[in-house]
Amino acid sequence: MDFLTHTWHWSVAGFLIALVMLLLNYFGKVFGMSSNLRSLCAMTGVGKKVSFFDWDWKSQRWNLVVVLGAMIGGYVAVHFLSDVSNVSINPKTIQQLSAMGIDPPNGKLLPNTLFGNQIFESPQMIVILLVGGLLIGFGSRYAGGCTSGHAIAGMSNLQFPSLKAVIGFFIGGLIMSHYILPLLF
Amino acid sequence: MNLIKYLFVGFFFGIVLTKAEAVSWYRIYEMFQFQSFHMYGIIMTAIATGLIGVQIIKRNKLKDIDGKPIYIEDKEKGNVRYWIGGILFGLGWAMVGACPGPIFILLGSGFLSVSLILLGAILGTFLYGVFKDRLPH
């Protein structure tokens, strides 16, 4: 069962992610995770005031079910399919992070510095996570998709707009990772 | 409507993204620092496989589960929305190391702090809805 608990090879993972997209195509749907955020907004009934959310979110119920399944899948993978060998990132990355005061993975997916429960007592960390989320939500809706909708589904379908969005993802990501994160930590 | 199949697809997706560590803040940081091929490999394999799959669907005019021809809509034309929206998204992605799929997956895995990211993301989506008509696309 080692193959289940160890880190999956990128080629296996990439292939299986494409399979998920194609399976959804076979079900007559389109792969895209960020549209669920729009559904969650619309569910609150805010569509009465903001026309962008005045749309039939119930037709997107299937996607919310995908999300529910993904949450259960994440739970199972983290609690039953983990191993201390996981997240063995580049030692140079670990060194760099330690200089920023961010703890090494040692098998865990997320650093405690950013995601441990103590962050609820740190106004700075709360703001960082909220603002990060805000950028993700606003940016993905403005760009009309996220990593799944543009980078995977759009690029697979040779969509030029998706290429622009993905280049944008990387411009933003590089600026954050190289110039802004070092100021925050 | 048979929704159970979507639960299975989602479950599989959650396992794959977690076991590939694409939900890991560390992996996203490592990717943007160009210190590993892992994430690039995942994305490129997914696109290559998807490209072949989509071509097979289109050339053979395959039908979906209900017998209707599979039709994948083209993305709208535009510039500003893709560049600016993309850059804003990228800033957030690298900041908290999660995109929308992983936000939900991590939350399901029990990382309570990720609920702050989700809260921010819902708020961001809401703000886009409010300002949509005033933004250049």
mmCIF file with all atom_site columns, all heavy atoms in Angstrom, chain A residues 91-113:
data_model
loop_
_atom_site.group_PDB
_atom_site.id
_atom_site.type_symbol
_atom_site.label_atom_id
_atom_site.label_alt_id
_atom_site.label_comp_id
_atom_site.label_asym_id
_atom_site.label_entity_id
_atom_site.label_seq_id
_atom_site.pdbx_PDB_ins_code
_atom_site.Cartn_x
_atom_site.Cartn_y
_atom_site.Cartn_z
_atom_site.occupancy
_atom_site.B_iso_or_equiv
_atom_site.pdbx_formal_charge
_atom_site.auth_seq_id
_atom_site.auth_comp_id
_atom_site.auth_asym_id
_atom_site.auth_atom_id
_atom_site.pdbx_PDB_model_num
ATOM 1   N N   . PRO A 1 91  ? 15.477 20.937 -0.247 1.00 0.00 ? 91  PRO A N   1
ATOM 2   C CA  . PRO A 1 91  ? 16.151 21.401 0.990  1.00 0.00 ? 91  PRO A CA  1
ATOM 3   C C   . PRO A 1 91  ? 16.473 22.894 0.942  1.00 0.00 ? 91  PRO A C   1
ATOM 4   O O   . PRO A 1 91  ? 16.431 23.577 1.975  1.00 0.00 ? 91  PRO A O   1
ATOM 5   C CB  . PRO A 1 91  ? 17.448 20.588 1.011  1.00 0.00 ? 91  PRO A CB  1
ATOM 6   C CG  . PRO A 1 91  ? 17.183 19.397 0.179  1.00 0.00 ? 91  PRO A CG  1
ATOM 7   C CD  . PRO A 1 91  ? 16.175 19.800 -0.861 1.00 0.00 ? 91  PRO A CD  1
ATOM 8   N N   . LYS A 1 92  ? 16.722 23.388 -0.255 1.00 0.00 ? 92  LYS A N   1
ATOM 9   C CA  . LYS A 1 92  ? 17.008 24.819 -0.397 1.00 0.00 ? 92  LYS A CA  1
ATOM 10  C C   . LYS A 1 92  ? 15.780 25.660 -0.045 1.00 0.00 ? 92  LYS A C   1
ATOM 11  O O   . LYS A 1 92  ? 15.881 26.729 0.564  1.00 0.00 ? 92  LYS A O   1
ATOM 12  C CB  . LYS A 1 92  ? 17.428 25.086 -1.858 1.00 0.00 ? 92  LYS A CB  1
ATOM 13  C CG  . LYS A 1 92  ? 18.554 26.097 -1.968 1.00 0.00 ? 92  LYS A CG  1
ATOM 14  C CD  . LYS A 1 92  ? 18.963 26.289 -3.419 1.00 0.00 ? 92  LYS A CD  1
ATOM 15  C CE  . LYS A 1 92  ? 19.013 27.764 -3.744 1.00 0.00 ? 92  LYS A CE  1
ATOM 16  N NZ  . LYS A 1 92  ? 18.962 28.018 -5.184 1.00 0.00 ? 92  LYS A NZ  1
ATOM 17  N N   . THR A 1 93  ? 14.599 25.133 -0.434 1.00 0.00 ? 93  THR A N   1
ATOM 18  C CA  . THR A 1 93  ? 13.348 25.814 -0.107 1.00 0.00 ? 93  THR A CA  1
ATOM 19  C C   . THR A 1 93  ? 13.159 25.847 1.407  1.00 0.00 ? 93  THR A C   1
ATOM 20  O O   . THR A 1 93  ? 12.773 26.871 1.974  1.00 0.00 ? 93  THR A O   1
ATOM 21  C CB  . THR A 1 93  ? 12.151 25.087 -0.756 1.00 0.00 ? 93  THR A CB  1
ATOM 22  O OG1 . THR A 1 93  ? 12.478 24.796 -2.114 1.00 0.00 ? 93  THR A OG1 1
ATOM 23  C CG2 . THR A 1 93  ? 10.896 25.919 -0.705 1.00 0.00 ? 93  THR A CG2 1
ATOM 24  N N   . ILE A 1 94  ? 13.460 24.708 2.056  1.00 0.00 ? 94  ILE A N   1
ATOM 25  C CA  . ILE A 1 94  ? 13.306 24.603 3.514  1.00 0.00 ? 94  ILE A CA  1
ATOM 26  C C   . ILE A 1 94  ? 14.205 25.630 4.214  1.00 0.00 ? 94  ILE A C   1
ATOM 27  O O   . ILE A 1 94  ? 13.772 26.325 5.139  1.00 0.00 ? 94  ILE A O   1
ATOM 28  C CB  . ILE A 1 94  ? 13.646 23.172 3.993  1.00 0.00 ? 94  ILE A CB  1
ATOM 29  C CG1 . ILE A 1 94  ? 12.603 22.195 3.420  1.00 0.00 ? 94  ILE A CG1 1
ATOM 30  C CG2 . ILE A 1 94  ? 13.683 23.097 5.519  1.00 0.00 ? 94  ILE A CG2 1
ATOM 31  C CD1 . ILE A 1 94  ? 12.790 20.758 3.826  1.00 0.00 ? 94  ILE A CD1 1
ATOM 32  N N   . GLN A 1 95  ? 15.435 25.735 3.714  1.00 0.00 ? 95  GLN A N   1
ATOM 33  C CA  . GLN A 1 95  ? 16.394 26.677 4.268  1.00 0.00 ? 95  GLN A CA  1
ATOM 34  C C   . GLN A 1 95  ? 15.881 28.119 4.147  1.00 0.00 ? 95  GLN A C   1
ATOM 35  O O   . GLN A 1 95  ? 15.909 28.903 5.093  1.00 0.00 ? 95  GLN A O   1
ATOM 36  C CB  . GLN A 1 95  ? 17.691 26.543 3.482  1.00 0.00 ? 95  GLN A CB  1
ATOM 37  C CG  . GLN A 1 95  ? 18.930 26.604 4.318  1.00 0.00 ? 95  GLN A CG  1
ATOM 38  C CD  . GLN A 1 95  ? 20.159 26.263 3.460  1.00 0.00 ? 95  GLN A CD  1
ATOM 39  O OE1 . GLN A 1 95  ? 20.108 26.301 2.226  1.00 0.00 ? 95  GLN A OE1 1
ATOM 40  N NE2 . GLN A 1 95  ? 21.247 25.946 4.110  1.00 0.00 ? 95  GLN A NE2 1
ATOM 41  N N   . GLN A 1 96  ? 15.398 28.410 2.935  1.00 0.00 ? 96  GLN A N   1
ATOM 42  C CA  . GLN A 1 96  ? 14.879 29.744 2.656  1.00 0.00 ? 96  GLN A CA  1
ATOM 43  C C   . GLN A 1 96  ? 13.714 30.076 3.581  1.00 0.00 ? 96  GLN A C   1
ATOM 44  O O   . GLN A 1 96  ? 13.615 31.180 4.107  1.00 0.00 ? 96  GLN A O   1
ATOM 45  C CB  . GLN A 1 96  ? 14.364 29.733 1.219  1.00 0.00 ? 96  GLN A CB  1
ATOM 46  C CG  . GLN A 1 96  ? 14.830 30.879 0.360  1.00 0.00 ? 96  GLN A CG  1
ATOM 47  C CD  . GLN A 1 96  ? 14.470 30.595 -1.083 1.00 0.00 ? 96  GLN A CD  1
ATOM 48  O OE1 . GLN A 1 96  ? 15.116 29.814 -1.774 1.00 0.00 ? 96  GLN A OE1 1
ATOM 49  N NE2 . GLN A 1 96  ? 13.404 31.212 -1.543 1.00 0.00 ? 96  GLN A NE2 1
ATOM 50  N N   . LEU A 1 97  ? 12.809 29.082 3.768  1.00 0.00 ? 97  LEU A N   1
ATOM 51  C CA  . LEU A 1 97  ? 11.637 29.288 4.615  1.00 0.00 ? 97  LEU A CA  1
ATOM 52  C C   . LEU A 1 97  ? 12.062 29.497 6.064  1.00 0.00 ? 97  LEU A C   1
ATOM 53  O O   . LEU A 1 97  ? 11.493 30.337 6.759  1.00 0.00 ? 97  LEU A O   1
ATOM 54  C CB  . LEU A 1 97  ? 10.688 28.091 4.503  1.00 0.00 ? 97  LEU A CB  1
ATOM 55  C CG  . LEU A 1 97  ? 9.934  27.973 3.176  1.00 0.00 ? 97  LEU A CG  1
ATOM 56  C CD1 . LEU A 1 97  ? 9.163  26.667 3.119  1.00 0.00 ? 97  LEU A CD1 1
ATOM 57  C CD2 . LEU A 1 97  ? 8.981  29.148 3.004  1.00 0.00 ? 97  LEU A CD2 1
ATOM 58  N N   . SER A 1 98  ? 13.036 28.713 6.494  1.00 0.00 ? 98  SER A N   1
ATOM 59  C CA  . SER A 1 98  ? 13.460 28.824 7.892  1.00 0.00 ? 98  SER A CA  1
ATOM 60  C C   . SER A 1 98  ? 14.031 30.218 8.169  1.00 0.00 ? 98  SER A C   1
ATOM 61  O O   . SER A 1 98  ? 13.844 30.772 9.259  1.00 0.00 ? 98  SER A O   1
ATOM 62  C CB  . SER A 1 98  ? 14.424 27.684 8.230  1.00 0.00 ? 98  SER A CB  1
ATOM 63  O OG  . SER A 1 98  ? 15.644 28.160 8.675  1.00 0.00 ? 98  SER A OG  1
ATOM 64  N N   . ALA A 1 99  ? 14.697 30.795 7.159  1.00 0.00 ? 99  ALA A N   1
ATOM 65  C CA  . ALA A 1 99  ? 15.207 32.163 7.311  1.00 0.00 ? 99  ALA A CA  1
ATOM 66  C C   . ALA A 1 99  ? 14.054 33.157 7.465  1.00 0.00 ? 99  ALA A C   1
ATOM 67  O O   . ALA A 1 99  ? 14.208 34.229 8.053  1.00 0.00 ? 99  ALA A O   1
ATOM 68  C CB  . ALA A 1 99  ? 16.068 32.532 6.119  1.00 0.00 ? 99  ALA A CB  1
ATOM 69  N N   . MET A 1 100 ? 12.877 32.782 6.901  1.00 0.00 ? 100 MET A N   1
ATOM 70  C CA  . MET A 1 100 ? 11.699 33.648 7.014  1.00 0.00 ? 100 MET A CA  1
ATOM 71  C C   . MET A 1 100 ? 10.898 33.333 8.280  1.00 0.00 ? 100 MET A C   1
ATOM 72  O O   . MET A 1 100 ? 9.852  33.936 8.529  1.00 0.00 ? 100 MET A O   1
ATOM 73  C CB  . MET A 1 100 ? 10.789 33.459 5.785  1.00 0.00 ? 100 MET A CB  1
ATOM 74  C CG  . MET A 1 100 ? 11.357 34.021 4.492  1.00 0.00 ? 100 MET A CG  1
ATOM 75  S SD  . MET A 1 100 ? 10.523 33.327 3.018  1.00 0.00 ? 100 MET A SD  1
ATOM 76  C CE  . MET A 1 100 ? 8.925  34.110 3.122  1.00 0.00 ? 100 MET A CE  1
ATOM 77  N N   . GLY A 1 101 ? 11.353 32.333 9.035  1.00 0.00 ? 101 GLY A N   1
ATOM 78  C CA  . GLY A 1 101 ? 10.639 31.943 10.251 1.00 0.00 ? 101 GLY A CA  1
ATOM 79  C C   . GLY A 1 101 ? 9.477  31.001 10.002 1.00 0.00 ? 101 GLY A C   1
ATOM 80  O O   . GLY A 1 101 ? 8.580  30.878 10.835 1.00 0.00 ? 101 GLY A O   1
ATOM 81  N N   . ILE A 1 102 ? 9.494  30.331 8.828  1.00 0.00 ? 102 ILE A N   1
ATOM 82  C CA  . ILE A 1 102 ? 8.401  29.396 8.509  1.00 0.00 ? 102 ILE A CA  1
ATOM 83  C C   . ILE A 1 102 ? 8.897  27.962 8.704  1.00 0.00 ? 102 ILE A C   1
ATOM 84  O O   . ILE A 1 102 ? 9.956  27.585 8.198  1.00 0.00 ? 102 ILE A O   1
ATOM 85  C CB  . ILE A 1 102 ? 7.892  29.631 7.063  1.00 0.00 ? 102 ILE A CB  1
ATOM 86  C CG1 . ILE A 1 102 ? 7.262  31.037 6.974  1.00 0.00 ? 102 ILE A CG1 1
ATOM 87  C CG2 . ILE A 1 102 ? 6.879  28.560 6.662  1.00 0.00 ? 102 ILE A CG2 1
ATOM 88  C CD1 . ILE A 1 102 ? 6.853  31.464 5.591  1.00 0.00 ? 102 ILE A CD1 1
ATOM 89  N N   . ASP A 1 103 ? 8.123  27.179 9.484  1.00 0.00 ? 103 ASP A N   1
ATOM 90  C CA  . ASP A 1 103 ? 8.543  25.823 9.857  1.00 0.00 ? 103 ASP A CA  1
ATOM 91  C C   . ASP A 1 103 ? 8.579  24.870 8.657  1.00 0.00 ? 103 ASP A C   1
ATOM 92  O O   . ASP A 1 103 ? 7.804  25.020 7.723  1.00 0.00 ? 103 ASP A O   1
ATOM 93  C CB  . ASP A 1 103 ? 7.597  25.266 10.944 1.00 0.00 ? 103 ASP A CB  1
ATOM 94  C CG  . ASP A 1 103 ? 6.133  25.350 10.518 1.00 0.00 ? 103 ASP A CG  1
ATOM 95  O OD1 . ASP A 1 103 ? 5.682  26.453 10.168 1.00 0.00 ? 103 ASP A OD1 1
ATOM 96  O OD2 . ASP A 1 103 ? 5.458  24.302 10.497 1.00 0.00 ? 103 ASP A OD2 1
ATOM 97  N N   . PRO A 1 104 ? 9.481  23.855 8.698  1.00 0.00 ? 104 PRO A N   1
ATOM 98  C CA  . PRO A 1 104 ? 9.602  22.885 7.604  1.00 0.00 ? 104 PRO A CA  1
ATOM 99  C C   . PRO A 1 104 ? 8.425  21.898 7.608  1.00 0.00 ? 104 PRO A C   1
ATOM 100 O O   . PRO A 1 104 ? 7.762  21.735 8.638  1.00 0.00 ? 104 PRO A O   1
ATOM 101 C CB  . PRO A 1 104 ? 10.908 22.155 7.924  1.00 0.00 ? 104 PRO A CB  1
ATOM 102 C CG  . PRO A 1 104 ? 11.059 22.278 9.401  1.00 0.00 ? 104 PRO A CG  1
ATOM 103 C CD  . PRO A 1 104 ? 10.447 23.601 9.777  1.00 0.00 ? 104 PRO A CD  1
ATOM 104 N N   . PRO A 1 105 ? 8.145  21.234 6.459  1.00 0.00 ? 105 PRO A N   1
ATOM 105 C CA  . PRO A 1 105 ? 6.969  20.370 6.369  1.00 0.00 ? 105 PRO A CA  1
ATOM 106 C C   . PRO A 1 105 ? 7.009  19.129 7.278  1.00 0.00 ? 105 PRO A C   1
ATOM 107 O O   . PRO A 1 105 ? 6.022  18.870 7.978  1.00 0.00 ? 105 PRO A O   1
ATOM 108 C CB  . PRO A 1 105 ? 6.934  19.942 4.900  1.00 0.00 ? 105 PRO A CB  1
ATOM 109 C CG  . PRO A 1 105 ? 8.070  20.592 4.211  1.00 0.00 ? 105 PRO A CG  1
ATOM 110 C CD  . PRO A 1 105 ? 8.838  21.400 5.173  1.00 0.00 ? 105 PRO A CD  1
ATOM 111 N N   . ASN A 1 106 ? 8.105  18.364 7.270  1.00 0.00 ? 106 ASN A N   1
ATOM 112 C CA  . ASN A 1 106 ? 8.135  17.104 8.020  1.00 0.00 ? 106 ASN A CA  1
ATOM 113 C C   . ASN A 1 106 ? 6.862  16.284 7.818  1.00 0.00 ? 106 ASN A C   1
ATOM 114 O O   . ASN A 1 106 ? 6.270  15.800 8.779  1.00 0.00 ? 106 ASN A O   1
ATOM 115 C CB  . ASN A 1 106 ? 8.341  17.362 9.514  1.00 0.00 ? 106 ASN A CB  1
ATOM 116 C CG  . ASN A 1 106 ? 9.700  17.977 9.797  1.00 0.00 ? 106 ASN A CG  1
ATOM 117 O OD1 . ASN A 1 106 ? 10.673 17.691 9.088  1.00 0.00 ? 106 ASN A OD1 1
ATOM 118 N ND2 . ASN A 1 106 ? 9.784  18.864 10.783 1.00 0.00 ? 106 ASN A ND2 1
ATOM 119 N N   . GLY A 1 107 ? 6.430  16.151 6.592  1.00 0.00 ? 107 GLY A N   1
ATOM 120 C CA  . GLY A 1 107 ? 5.271  15.313 6.313  1.00 0.00 ? 107 GLY A CA  1
ATOM 121 C C   . GLY A 1 107 ? 3.944  16.048 6.301  1.00 0.00 ? 107 GLY A C   1
ATOM 122 O O   . GLY A 1 107 ? 2.941  15.521 5.838  1.00 0.00 ? 107 GLY A O   1
ATOM 123 N N   . LYS A 1 108 ? 3.897  17.289 6.821  1.00 0.00 ? 108 LYS A N   1
ATOM 124 C CA  . LYS A 1 108 ? 2.596  17.972 6.808  1.00 0.00 ? 108 LYS A CA  1
ATOM 125 C C   . LYS A 1 108 ? 2.427  18.859 5.576  1.00 0.00 ? 108 LYS A C   1
ATOM 126 O O   . LYS A 1 108 ? 3.400  19.303 4.967  1.00 0.00 ? 108 LYS A O   1
ATOM 127 C CB  . LYS A 1 108 ? 2.324  18.749 8.087  1.00 0.00 ? 108 LYS A CB  1
ATOM 128 C CG  . LYS A 1 108 ? 3.492  19.471 8.684  1.00 0.00 ? 108 LYS A CG  1
ATOM 129 C CD  . LYS A 1 108 ? 3.087  20.165 9.975  1.00 0.00 ? 108 LYS A CD  1
ATOM 130 C CE  . LYS A 1 108 ? 4.203  21.018 10.499 1.00 0.00 ? 108 LYS A CE  1
ATOM 131 N NZ  . LYS A 1 108 ? 4.957  21.789 9.536  1.00 0.00 ? 108 LYS A NZ  1
ATOM 132 N N   . LEU A 1 109 ? 1.161  19.092 5.218  1.00 0.00 ? 109 LEU A N   1
ATOM 133 C CA  . LEU A 1 109 ? 0.851  19.828 3.991  1.00 0.00 ? 109 LEU A CA  1
ATOM 134 C C   . LEU A 1 109 ? 1.022  21.326 4.140  1.00 0.00 ? 109 LEU A C   1
ATOM 135 O O   . LEU A 1 109 ? 1.381  22.020 3.198  1.00 0.00 ? 109 LEU A O   1
ATOM 136 C CB  . LEU A 1 109 ? -0.596 19.543 3.565  1.00 0.00 ? 109 LEU A CB  1
ATOM 137 C CG  . LEU A 1 109 ? -0.905 18.141 3.040  1.00 0.00 ? 109 LEU A CG  1
ATOM 138 C CD1 . LEU A 1 109 ? -2.409 17.919 2.969  1.00 0.00 ? 109 LEU A CD1 1
ATOM 139 C CD2 . LEU A 1 109 ? -0.270 17.921 1.674  1.00 0.00 ? 109 LEU A CD2 1
ATOM 140 N N   . LEU A 1 110 ? 0.743  21.836 5.343  1.00 0.00 ? 110 LEU A N   1
ATOM 141 C CA  . LEU A 1 110 ? 0.738  23.281 5.549  1.00 0.00 ? 110 LEU A CA  1
ATOM 142 C C   . LEU A 1 110 ? 1.647  23.684 6.701  1.00 0.00 ? 110 LEU A C   1
ATOM 143 O O   . LEU A 1 110 ? 1.720  22.962 7.697  1.00 0.00 ? 110 LEU A O   1
ATOM 144 C CB  . LEU A 1 110 ? -0.691 23.767 5.862  1.00 0.00 ? 110 LEU A CB  1
ATOM 145 C CG  . LEU A 1 110 ? -1.801 23.400 4.877  1.00 0.00 ? 110 LEU A CG  1
ATOM 146 C CD1 . LEU A 1 110 ? -3.137 23.940 5.389  1.00 0.00 ? 110 LEU A CD1 1
ATOM 147 C CD2 . LEU A 1 110 ? -1.510 23.940 3.501  1.00 0.00 ? 110 LEU A CD2 1
ATOM 148 N N   . PRO A 1 111 ? 2.329  24.816 6.584  1.00 0.00 ? 111 PRO A N   1
ATOM 149 C CA  . PRO A 1 111 ? 3.168  25.274 7.689  1.00 0.00 ? 111 PRO A CA  1
ATOM 150 C C   . PRO A 1 111 ? 2.318  25.755 8.872  1.00 0.00 ? 111 PRO A C   1
ATOM 151 O O   . PRO A 1 111 ? 1.293  26.411 8.677  1.00 0.00 ? 111 PRO A O   1
ATOM 152 C CB  . PRO A 1 111 ? 3.946  26.444 7.082  1.00 0.00 ? 111 PRO A CB  1
ATOM 153 C CG  . PRO A 1 111 ? 3.184  26.874 5.884  1.00 0.00 ? 111 PRO A CG  1
ATOM 154 C CD  . PRO A 1 111 ? 2.387  25.704 5.401  1.00 0.00 ? 111 PRO A CD  1
ATOM 155 N N   . ASN A 1 112 ? 2.760  25.410 10.075 1.00 0.00 ? 112 ASN A N   1
ATOM 156 C CA  . ASN A 1 112 ? 2.055  25.877 11.274 1.00 0.00 ? 112 ASN A CA  1
ATOM 157 C C   . ASN A 1 112 ? 2.083  27.390 11.399 1.00 0.00 ? 112 ASN A C   1
ATOM 158 O O   . ASN A 1 112 ? 1.140  27.999 11.893 1.00 0.00 ? 112 ASN A O   1
ATOM 159 C CB  . ASN A 1 112 ? 2.709  25.273 12.527 1.00 0.00 ? 112 ASN A CB  1
ATOM 160 C CG  . ASN A 1 112 ? 2.166  23.886 12.812 1.00 0.00 ? 112 ASN A CG  1
ATOM 161 O OD1 . ASN A 1 112 ? 0.999  23.605 12.522 1.00 0.00 ? 112 ASN A OD1 1
ATOM 162 N ND2 . ASN A 1 112 ? 3.000  23.022 13.345 1.00 0.00 ? 112 ASN A ND2 1
ATOM 163 N N   . THR A 1 113 ? 3.202  27.971 10.929 1.00 0.00 ? 113 THR A N   1
ATOM 164 C CA  . THR A 1 113 ? 3.353  29.420 11.035 1.00 0.00 ? 113 THR A CA  1
ATOM 165 C C   . THR A 1 113 ? 2.176  30.149 10.402 1.00 0.00 ? 113 THR A C   1
ATOM 166 O O   . THR A 1 113 ? 1.730  31.173 10.896 1.00 0.00 ? 113 THR A O   1
ATOM 167 C CB  . THR A 1 113 ? 4.652  29.860 10.312 1.00 0.00 ? 113 THR A CB  1
ATOM 168 O OG1 . THR A 1 113 ? 5.673  28.923 10.618 1.00 0.00 ? 113 THR A OG1 1
ATOM 169 C CG2 . THR A 1 113 ? 5.067  31.250 10.718 1.00 0.00 ? 113 THR A CG2 1
#
